[in-house]
Amino acid sequence: VLVSSIGVGKSAGALPQVALDSLAEVLAEKAKAENYLMASGLVYTVIRPGVLTNKPANGLGMLTEDTSITGIIRRTEVARLVAEVIGDAETFGKTYTAVEAQE
């Protein structure tokens, strides 16, 4: 499981241009990591979280294949989602956006 970032690949359109510009170097490196993993022949799942916060877990973190979505997510929710996809064949070879569902 690779934790990457919204703004990489097809999810670039989910971020405003100012964010893409300010994160350009980081996003380029994350794109390299994603591409390397995808070409490696290994079984993988990529998770691209939105804006990370340090708040306690709330159970609202979710994964979607919709690359146009952006939002916030708690680091603890990203960790929970990573743990859930490990070994889940349904997620193999897929790239997800991780954000919090609206309450």
Side-chain angles (χ1 to χ4, degrees), residues 11-93:
S11 69
L15 292 181
Q17 190 61 47
V18 67
L20 290 172
D21 292 344
S22 67
L23 298 171
E25 289 182 37
V26 171
L27 296 176
E29 293 302 315
K30 288 182 179 281
K32 285 181 191 176
E34 284 188 21
N35 292 334
Y36 183 83
L37 178 61
M38 291 173 185
S40 72
L42 296 171
V43 173
Y44 70 87
T45 303
V46 175
I47 297 177
R48 296 175 175 159
V51 177
L52 296 168
T53 69
N54 291 323
K55 296 178 182 177
N58 63 2
L60 296 177
M62 63 170 218
L63 297 176
T64 177
E65 291 183 83
D66 184 344
T67 58
S68 68
I69 291 178
T70 191
I72 64 166
I73 187 162
R74 299 155 196 248
R75 285 179 170 84
T76 49
E77 288 298 310
V78 174
R80 179 182 62 79
L81 294 169
V82 166
E84 287 179 4
V85 302
I86 292 174
D88 181 355
E90 294 285 323
T91 69
F92 293 171

